[in-house]
Amino acid sequence: MTLLFLSLVLSTTAALAEKRFALIIGNSAYDTAGVLPNADNDAVLMEQSFRAMGFETEILIDAGEDELGAALDKLATQHDDTDVVALYFAGHGLQKDGINYLVPTDAVLQSEASIERETISLNTIIDILKPVPISLIFLDACRNNPWAERMIKRSMSASRSVSVKRGFAVVRPEGDMMITYATLPNSVASDGAGSNSPFARALARHIKTPNTEVSVLMKRVTKDVLEETYGEQRPQQLSQMKREFYFRQTEGGTKEKELLATLLTVYPARATAGEEISVVADVPPSCQPLFVNLGPTGKVTQIPRNFFRVTSLSNGQMRYEISPGSRYGLVVEEKDPLGENKLGFMCEPEGMTEEADVVASLRAVLGQVNAGTLSGLHETRNFSPAEFRFNSFEIN
C-alpha cells in the first residue's frame, strides 16, 4: 500500500509543481435526521484519493456548525498561495428560494426561517474559493432528507408557495471553478447499497487516471454513475474554467482534453404534467444556438431564443437560461406524450444563411441524437462544423 501511494505521488508531476489543498467533509450521524450510512466512508475514500494526487488534506467527520465554520474560516485565510483547492462534501443538503445550503450534523431545522441560521450557504463557499486560481467543488449532498420533505409537505398543505425544494438549485461558478453535483439539480442522489455512494466510487476510480483533463474525467464519472444507478442518477458539472486541470500527469503522456466549447443542463430528469423544465446553456459568443426538443414520438419542437434569459459570463461565454417562473416557461402539459425527450441545441454554422441549409444541418444532428450521440461536432460542407449538445428528460 505504501509503495503504491508513493508511486502515484511521484508520477504526478503536476502535484510537484502546484500547491494543492482539499477539504473533505463527511456528515453521517445527524442529531435530528438519523444516520446516512456512507457519507463518512465516502469522505475517507476521497481523502485518500486526493492525498494520492498530491493534495494536502483536511478531513472532517460528522461536523457540526461550529466545526464547519472554523474550517471555512481557515480555508479563507490560510490558502492565499494555494494553486488548486478542492472541497468535497458528503451529507445532507437542501435549497431555499434558489439558494443552496450544506447541513451540519447539529442542525435542528424546525422551520424554513432556521435554515439560514443553522446551515452553511454554498454561496459562502463560492465566495471563499473565488480568488483561488483553480477551485473544484464536489457535492455528494443531495441525499433525501426529512427536513426538506417536512417543509415541502407543510407548505403544500397550507396552500403556500414552496420555497424549500429537494436537491440543489443551479448556481453560477466564479472564476476558474468547477462545481459538480452528484445528481441533477432538484433531484436526489443515492447513498449507495455498498460501503460508498455511486458518485464517490466513480470519482475515486477516475481521479487517478493520468493525463486526462478534469472535464473529460468527469464525463467518465457521469457515465459510471448512470450505469450503476440504471439511469436514475446523473451527475452534473457547472463550470467557467478557462484553464486546464489534470489531477495526474505523467512524462510523455498524451493529454486528453475537452474539444467542445459548450455546456448544457436540463432538469429535472423526470417530470409530470404541471412541472416546469429548466434549461441552462453556456456557449461562446460565436455560437447562435438553435434550441429544439425531440419528443418520444419523433416530433421536433423549436424553442425560440427569445424565450431565454441571456447573460454574459466572466469567462466570455453567453448563458441562455429558462428557469421556473421565467417569462416564458417550459411547462409539461397533460397532452404531452409520455416517454423520453431530448432537449438541446445546435450552434448554427457560421456563414450559413439559407434556411434550407440550417434545416438540413439540424436534421442531420437530430439523426445523431436519435442514435444516442448527445453531443459532438457535425461537419457541414463549405461551412464550419456545427457543435451540438442535448440532454434527456422523461415525462411520466
Side-chain angles (χ1 to χ4, degrees), residues 141-300:
C142 296
R143 310 175 194 207
N144 208 359
N145 69 70
W147 305 295
E149 297 302 321
R150 183 174 63 245
M151 293 177 192
I152 291 170
K153 185 177 180 180
R154 184 184 303 153
S155 294
M156 294 177 67
S157 64
S159 299
R160 298 181 301 180
S161 61
V162 180
S163 60
V164 175
K165 296 184 179 180
R166 302 173 184 89
F168 281 150
V170 172
V171 294
R172 176 175 173 173
E174 298 283 351
D176 275 295
M177 177 182 294
M178 172 180 281
I179 300 174
T180 299
Y181 296 162
T183 191
L184 287 173
N186 299 323
S187 301
V188 176
S190 170
D191 196 52
S195 58
N196 293 105
S197 75
F199 179 76
R201 264 196 303 274
L203 182 57
R205 182 183 308 119
H206 289 288
I207 201 172
K208 58 181 177 287
T209 305
N211 309 316
T212 304
E213 209 278 324
V214 65
S215 59
V216 177
L217 184 146
M218 294 312 300
K219 286 181 173 60
R220 297 175 183 175
V221 171
T222 297
K223 179 176 181 291
D224 283 4
V225 173
L226 277 167
E227 289 178 352
E228 182 173 340
T229 62
Y230 300 98
E232 292 290 325
Q233 180 177 330
R234 177 192 287 271
Q236 179 68 55
Q237 291 82 50
L238 303 168
S239 174
Q240 290 199 155
M241 291 181 69
K242 301 183 290 293
R243 310 183 196 189
E244 296 175 9
F245 174 71
Y246 299 81
F247 280 104
R248 180 185 174 206
Q249 293 189 58
T250 57
E251 294 292 337
T254 301
K255 294 181 179 179
E256 297 187 53
K257 305 177 184 179
E258 170 64 271
L259 299 178
L260 302 182
T262 62
L263 292 170
L264 174 68
T265 300
V266 178
Y267 63 95
R270 289 177 175 78
T272 56
E275 292 189 275
E276 291 188 71
I277 302 300
S278 297
V279 184
V280 181
D282 294 348
V283 304
S286 60
C287 172
Q288 292 295 309
L290 177 59
F291 290 92
V292 297
N293 183 70
L294 179 61
T297 63
K299 180 181 178 181
V300 178

